[in-house]
Amino acid sequence: MHNIYFYTPSSKFPHFPSSFGLLRRQRHEHKPRWWTKIHDPRSEFITKWQNLFLITCLITLFLDPLYFYVPTICGVACLSSNLQLLVFVTFVRTIADFLYLIHIFLKFKTAFVSRNSRVFGRKELVTDPKAIAFRYLTSSFILDVAAMLPLPQLMLWFVVPALKSVSKAHSNHTVAFIVLLQFIPRLFVMIPLNRKIVNSTGIAAKNAWSGAVYNMLLFILAGHVIGGIWYLWALQRVNNCWAIECLWQRNSTQFPCDTSFFDKENKDLPARKIWLEKSNVIANCNPNNKDSNFIYGMFAPIITDDVVSADFIQTYFYCLWWGLKTL
């Protein structure tokens, strides 16, 4: 006769047969977790992860140049930072960096095809963890780590506040240099991955429109980067003009100047107000002033249109339009 198991109200959970619990334990034992097993590079899990990570790489490439828009002009001879934009970019980039870390971990858990087997067409997989680790450490490990490191976050939130003597303009340029420097390994991580996905799945051949959209995104990315660099260099030109005017009055006995006057924190200093009233910094650093000796060159439009002190949306699309037009 079949065994019948009744569920009584007094019991909190139904009592399953012991054979059912044993079967469930056996399933868990025979199916290891994804972080413990060695994966086949052609498996569905690795294919889905590579597609997800390719999207992550593309997002981070669009995200990093947004650091160029963090500095802004908050008045006459005054530099500030867009704190809301900085928090948003830092939060999203930290999540992306964590996905980069998972990608590195998965590379230690992904088998590879032996070179010797390729000659005979057998394509045997090497699943030895030590061999996988040695191959990865001697190939692209350093590049992946360089792309993963959260350098802008550490610089903006920890290093710059600790170095109180560093001016805001200098710190912004340092962060921009780090972003551009890290942009290179992130490109070199994404391009081979994209080629590998296209060769294995044939996405470009199956969906022509997806290839067109992807190429258009790369074109917009180029304009996005160029526009951000143009905006940052325009701020640098303005800051250089302020610094030149400040240098003339640095040793003045009536209205001495200090480069810290350009930071927003020192905007209400009495000495700064006296310097602005007595000096010619407003007139000499105005691009519309034909008598000024300072030349802005191709950065004059963004300054005369007051884009450097506008809100982020207006500034971003103005610079993106300029970058696409330049391309």
Side-chain angles (χ1 to χ4, degrees):
M1 294 180 63
H2 297 286
N3 295 328
I4 301 176
Y5 296 87
F6 296 95
Y7 172 68
T8 59
S10 60
S11 60
K12 189 176 182 181
F13 297 103
H15 297 280
F16 294 103
S18 59
S19 59
F20 180 82
L22 179 61
L23 179 61
R24 189 169 61 177
R25 286 196 301 270
Q26 288 176 352
R27 287 180 179 177
H28 283 292
E29 290 175 359
H30 291 294
K31 190 177 181 180
R33 302 294 184 178
W34 63 268
W35 57 83
T36 60
K37 61 184 293 188
I38 301 297
H39 296 276
D40 188 338
R42 297 157 297 186
S43 64
E44 183 181 359
F45 175 78
I46 294 297
T47 301
K48 289 182 178 180
W49 169 256
Q50 288 177 347
N51 291 329
L52 174 63
F53 186 68
L54 179 64
I55 297 174
T56 302
C57 291
L58 195 60
I59 291 175
T60 54
L61 290 180
F62 273 96
L63 187 71
D64 284 355
L66 293 181
Y67 278 109
F68 300 156
Y69 297 95
V70 170
T72 182
I73 293 179
C74 58
V76 180
C78 179
L79 275 177
S80 180
S81 298
N82 189 337
L83 185 60
Q84 294 179 347
L85 178 63
L86 179 60
V87 171
F88 169 75
V89 176
T90 301
F91 176 74
V92 179
R93 196 184 195 274
T94 303
I95 297 176
D97 292 341
F98 180 71
L99 293 179
Y100 271 86
L101 183 62
I102 295 178
H103 182 68
I104 293 175
F105 175 78
L106 279 177
K107 280 195 171 184
F108 282 105
K109 295 291 183 177
T110 305
F112 63 94
V113 179
S114 175
R115 289 185 177 181
N116 297 330
S117 65
R118 292 178 184 177
V119 179
F120 302 101
R122 292 178 299 179
K123 294 185 178 180
E124 296 178 355
L125 289 178
V126 177
T127 58
D128 182 20
K130 293 183 179 180
I132 295 172
F134 178 78
R135 181 177 181 270
Y136 180 42
L137 290 173
T138 55
S139 56
S140 59
F141 175 73
I142 297 178
L143 184 67
D144 291 339
V145 171
M148 179 271 300
L149 292 176
L151 297 179
Q153 298 99 303
L154 295 175
M155 186 70 188
L156 283 171
W157 294 100
F158 297 100
V159 178
V160 172
L163 302 175
K164 297 182 179 180
S165 60
V166 179
S167 64
K168 189 176 294 294
H170 181 72
S171 63
N172 290 329
H173 297 154
T174 304
V175 172
F177 175 75
I178 292 175
V179 170
L180 284 176
L181 193 64
Q182 201 173 26
F183 202 81
I184 298 173
R186 295 204 164 192
L187 269 178
F188 279 99
V189 168
M190 190 193 76
I191 292 175
L193 179 63
N194 174 62
R195 188 183 301 113
K196 183 179 180 180
I197 293 176
V198 170
N199 292 336
S200 60
T201 60
I203 293 178
K206 293 180 182 179
N207 300 319
W209 65 268
S210 61
V213 170
Y214 182 74
N215 291 329
M216 185 184 68
L217 286 176
L218 293 180
F219 180 76
I220 295 176
L221 175 62
H224 170 60
V225 175
I226 293 175
I229 295 174
W230 181 59
Y231 170 80
L232 192 65
W233 282 357
L235 283 183
Q236 184 179 6
R237 291 298 295 166
V238 175
N239 186 77
N240 288 343
C241 184
W242 298 343
I244 292 174
E245 292 296 322
C246 182
L247 185 62
W248 289 104
Q249 287 93 27
R250 173 167 293 183
N251 297 324
S252 175
T253 56
Q254 298 178 350
F255 47 96
C257 175
D258 190 85
T259 54
S260 62
F261 288 173
F262 306 146
D263 295 340
K264 183 181 179 180
E265 292 76 11
N266 302 323
K267 187 176 181 179
D268 297 328
L269 288 177
R272 181 182 184 277
K273 294 180 179 179
I274 296 174
W275 172 70
L276 287 177
E277 293 175 358
K278 301 295 183 179
S279 65
N280 296 324
V281 62
I282 299 177
N284 293 340
C285 293
N286 187 358
N288 295 322
N289 185 8
K290 297 181 180 180
D291 297 330
S292 176
N293 295 325
F294 193 83
I295 301 175
Y296 284 97
M298 67 176 184
F299 306 108
I302 191 174
I303 300 171
T304 55
D305 293 341
D306 203 24
V307 179
V308 290
S309 57
D311 60 279
F312 168 70
I313 300 298
Q314 181 180 354
T315 301
Y316 173 74
F317 282 105
Y318 186 97
C319 296
L320 177 63
W321 166 80
W322 187 90
L324 295 174
K325 182 183 69 173
T326 305
L327 289 175

